[in-house]
Amino acid sequence: MLEIRDLCTFYGKVQALWNVSLQINEAEIVALVGSNGAGKTTLLNTISGLLRPASGHVFFLGQQIDGLPPHAVVELGISHVPEGGRVFPEMTVRENLEMGAYPYQAWQHRGETLEQVYQMFPRLKEREKQLARTLSGGERQMLAIGRCLMSRPKLCLFDEPSYGLAPLLVAEIFRIIQGLRDQGITVFLIEQNVRRALEIADRAYVLENGRICMEGPCAELLESDHVRKAYLGL
Amino acid sequence: MNAVGVDLKKLRAPALLLVLLLLLIALPHARPGYAVVLVYTILMYIVLTVSWVLFSAPTGYVSLAPAAFFGVGIYTSAILGMKLPLPVVICIGGLASAFLALLVGALTLRLKGIYFAIFTFGLVELIKHFVLWYELKYTGTRGRFLLPVGNNTIYYVMLAILVALLLTTYFIKRSKYGLALQSIGEDEEAAAHTGINVTLLKIITFAISAVFTGAAGAIWAIRLTYIDPYIAFDVNNSFMPVLMAIFGGLGQLYGPILGAVVFSFLREVLITRFPYYYMLLIGTILLVSILYLPNGLVGLIQRWRRRIWGGQHANT
């Protein structure tokens, strides 16, 4: 569904990604794990069009999408939940969700999608008219996921969804992400919480210093010595 | 019974506006002369303020370009005024300003915060001196004269521009684009992630706001009868809309309108009564209002309302 070939991205003169290649198939959860500064967010921002790669390509459903502006990428069906959720604080919960449905096609179906999102997150329905800044951290993350779903995406990109949340909420967010896969939405998940990510994902890639150093089914990675030593502290 | 009550409540605001509009239309017949001049001056400031608010309030991009757009309108009118019918001149004035806004927007709307404000301010000076240089070098005269038209004509044109502006603002605010502009102001990167073409939306809204500023300039030129670059590109016309909008309060659409009405009326009164001290007085009023009315006149009105109706409106 998504294919990345030999991607190199720079920040000015500093190279952040080195020949990254990876593949995501339909209706699977693929995790990208790595430590702080490994280039995970850079990779997501390159996919969603915020950054342009210096070389290499990104293909989505057979179409080349590198170099497209962010709004065009969203219209094709890739939706991005940025780190920390980044909801619009001075807008109500409902307005935040409606903004998620901004692309033309999604706007036509916004009533219907809103119902589905409210069914998934009854809390958001209860707080429909509240300003987003009055929500708790977990609710904000839910709102960010809801906003992402409002564009009726085929692929969801998650940037550190567990960041800053209490363990109980992290478990809930991860359950929700698994639920998305069961609905047929493909998920690309970026996490520092390596154990959790490997537990729910189907396959994973390990990113170190801007390079992919390992890949494979999660069960295998959880067994590997390198992952156990470097990320799980075993 | 209840349903009727709700319907009446919904109709109250449009009905009130309609009455106000009819009164404004009737004014030149009821009280010709100075009243007409005073009111169209106020209308002009409302146009400047509301078109500034249309772009700058939701997006948070503080533009100091109104004087540039206003001046372009003025010069359009000065150059074409005697050759083409008035409505055409007004339209061209608006379009010329919009064209400038598209150009400037495409170049500078990537600048954030204070940089954008400074660039737009520089733009006013740049165009002013360019026009001055051009006039001295190629036409050999510093200023231009315009054929005056009747005060009532100026009045009705200004009123028409204002009505068109208010309708445009209302429809943008109600559409998804209004919300999208606000989301750009709150978090531009997140707005891009939700599928908003942020650059295009900013540029187009900037241009729409310039249309009305330019059109107002085109008719104002005729009132001035003599113009030169210093009159046409007066930086006061950039600051006044900002001050009036803040004075009125930015939250609701009626805030900036109220601010423009009160402030421009005050200005007019102070200029005529205290010609030497008027800037001093204006400055004092501004300082006091910023210190004690952080949310402008709107905030004051809401506080009064709460006091009269008690705590039940605390959330509005």
Side-chain angles (χ1 to χ4, degrees):
Chain A
M1 181 174 218
L2 187 86
E3 197 188 348
I4 297 175
R5 275 189 222 149
D6 290 327
L7 202 69
C8 295
T9 303
F10 286 76
Y11 281 110
K13 279 184 180 167
V14 183
Q15 185 160 7
L17 294 179
W18 304 73
N19 300 317
V20 171
S21 296
L22 60 80
Q23 194 176 348
I24 297 167
N25 302 317
E26 203 166 334
E28 65 175 352
I29 299 180
V30 174
L32 179 76
V33 298
S35 58
N36 237 338
K40 304 188 299 291
T41 299
T42 308
L43 179 60
L44 270 207
N45 285 343
T46 314
I47 297 172
S48 61
L50 229 50
L51 295 171
R52 272 168 194 240
S55 63
H57 295 293
V58 183
F59 295 93
F60 179 62
L61 296 171
Q63 188 183 345
Q64 189 182 331
I65 61 163
D66 52 274
L68 288 182
H71 67 93
V73 174
V74 177
E75 272 162 28
L76 288 173
I78 299 181
S79 195
H80 186 152
V81 183
E83 187 172 348
R86 294 180 75 163
V87 295
F88 303 119
E90 299 299 321
M91 286 163 50
T92 64
V93 167
R94 194 194 168 106
E95 286 169 339
N96 264 279
L97 291 172
E98 283 179 347
M99 267 304 90
Y102 186 86
Y104 180 78
Q105 278 298 328
W107 190 256
Q108 304 302 313
H109 297 99
R110 67 187 187 283
E112 199 184 309
T113 328
L114 192 66
E115 279 308 306
Q116 292 165 4
V117 169
Y118 279 157
Q119 234 162 39
M120 256 177 100
F121 304 105
R123 280 300 271 279
L124 295 184
K125 169 114 183 152
E126 283 164 30
R127 299 180 184 252
E128 191 174 50
K129 288 184 181 139
Q130 265 176 256
L131 293 183
R133 68 174 154 85
T134 65
L135 299 183
S136 71
E139 287 165 347
R140 265 184 226 201
Q141 191 63 45
M142 286 176 198
L143 179 56
I145 297 173
R147 186 179 67 187
C148 146
L149 294 177
M150 287 300 291
S151 69
R152 303 168 77 90
K154 301 184 183 93
L155 170 66
C156 280
L157 311 175
F158 284 92
D159 195 349
E160 304 276 2
S162 73
Y163 181 81
L165 295 185
L168 218 64
L169 283 170
V170 173
E172 190 172 346
I173 296 288
F174 277 39
R175 256 201 309 281
I176 290 163
I177 293 174
Q178 277 181 307
L180 294 183
R181 176 189 50 194
D182 300 338
Q183 286 174 36
I185 298 174
T186 313
V187 173
F188 187 37
L189 171 68
I190 279 181
E191 264 295 339
Q192 278 188 60
N193 194 333
V194 176
R195 179 187 291 278
R196 290 272 194 185
L198 293 183
E199 275 167 8
I200 67 155
D202 301 304
R203 288 186 308 116
Y205 293 83
V206 181
L207 193 68
E208 279 177 12
N209 299 319
R211 296 174 179 85
I212 299 244
C213 69
M214 287 179 83
E215 60 173 284
C218 289
E220 259 173 45
L221 290 177
L222 277 169
E223 294 297 307
S224 92
D225 277 349
H226 179 71
V227 171
R228 286 168 69 96
K229 264 194 199 136
Y231 297 102
L232 302 176
L234 298 171
Chain B
M1 178 73 196
N2 203 1
V4 176
V6 168
D7 275 348
L8 281 180
K9 223 175 183 179
K10 261 186 191 166
L11 282 174
R12 207 164 57 185
L16 209 67
L17 286 174
L18 198 67
V19 171
L20 201 62
L21 181 63
L22 290 175
L23 284 177
L24 282 171
I25 291 173
L27 177 91
H29 301 288
R31 306 192 90 197
Y34 176 64
V36 173
V37 177
L38 176 67
V39 175
Y40 76 54
T41 308
I42 293 175
L43 293 182
M44 187 273 283
Y45 279 114
I46 302 177
V47 170
L48 287 192
T49 307
V50 173
S51 38
W52 180 83
V53 164
L54 173 64
F55 173 75
S56 290
T59 59
Y61 280 79
V62 173
S63 158
L64 292 177
F69 302 140
F70 197 65
V72 166
I74 289 181
Y75 264 88
T76 310
S77 189
I79 294 163
L80 301 173
M82 294 173 206
K83 296 173 191 141
L84 294 170
L86 188 62
V88 180
V89 173
I90 305 294
C91 290
I92 295 177
L95 291 177
S97 290
F99 180 72
L100 176 68
L102 285 177
L103 210 72
V104 173
L107 280 173
T108 65
L109 276 170
R110 286 166 211 277
L111 298 175
K112 294 260 158 76
I114 192 79
Y115 301 102
F116 177 73
I118 291 171
F119 186 96
T120 50
F121 182 64
L123 178 77
V124 178
E125 292 295 314
L126 180 78
I127 297 181
K128 181 200 291 176
H129 287 99
F130 174 76
V131 173
L132 191 63
W133 167 82
Y134 179 91
E135 295 279 63
L136 291 175
K137 189 164 170 85
Y138 293 101
T139 60
T141 53
R142 195 188 145 103
R144 289 167 184 262
F145 287 95
L146 286 103
L147 276 186
V149 299
N151 275 335
N152 286 0
T153 312
I154 298 177
Y155 178 88
Y156 283 119
V157 171
M158 203 59 98
L159 187 59
I161 294 171
L162 177 61
V163 169
L165 169 62
L166 289 179
L167 287 174
T168 310
T169 310
Y170 176 75
F171 282 114
I172 290 179
K173 254 192 127 127
R174 274 199 45 175
S175 74
K176 69 172 181 175
Y177 302 107
L179 216 48
L181 286 167
Q182 194 191 337
S183 71
I184 290 175
E186 292 192 15
D187 189 333
E188 194 161 337
E189 198 177 307
H193 280 315
T194 62
I196 299 167
N197 187 344
V198 288
T199 315
L200 188 71
L201 187 61
K202 280 188 295 185
I203 294 174
I204 288 183
T205 315
F206 194 49
I208 290 174
S209 102
V211 167
F212 296 99
T213 313
I219 186 68
W220 193 250
I222 294 169
R223 178 208 123 83
L224 293 171
T225 62
Y226 169 79
I227 58 140
D228 67 27
Y230 283 91
I231 296 172
F233 296 97
D234 180 357
V235 287
N236 269 325
N237 293 329
S238 280
F239 289 114
M240 279 304 164
V242 187
L243 296 179
M244 287 173 178
I246 292 171
F247 183 66
L250 288 171
Q252 317 276 336
L253 182 56
Y254 73 87
I257 299 177
L258 201 63
V261 172
V262 174
F263 205 96
S264 52
F265 181 72
L266 216 60
R267 191 168 176 260
E268 196 72 18
V269 170
L270 292 177
I271 285 182
T272 45
R273 296 272 164 81
F274 311 98
Y276 300 109
Y277 301 112
Y278 115 87
M279 259 319 207
L280 192 73
L281 292 169
I282 287 268
T284 314
I285 291 169
L286 265 179
L287 280 181
V288 169
S289 67
I290 281 176
L291 279 176
Y292 295 101
L293 300 174
N295 295 317
L297 294 175
V298 170
L300 190 69
I301 291 172
Q302 283 172 347
R303 226 183 300 162
W304 282 342
R305 262 193 180 171
R306 229 168 288 158
R307 201 166 299 163
I308 293 166
W309 279 305
Q312 69 202 43
H313 284 263
N315 276 330
T316 53

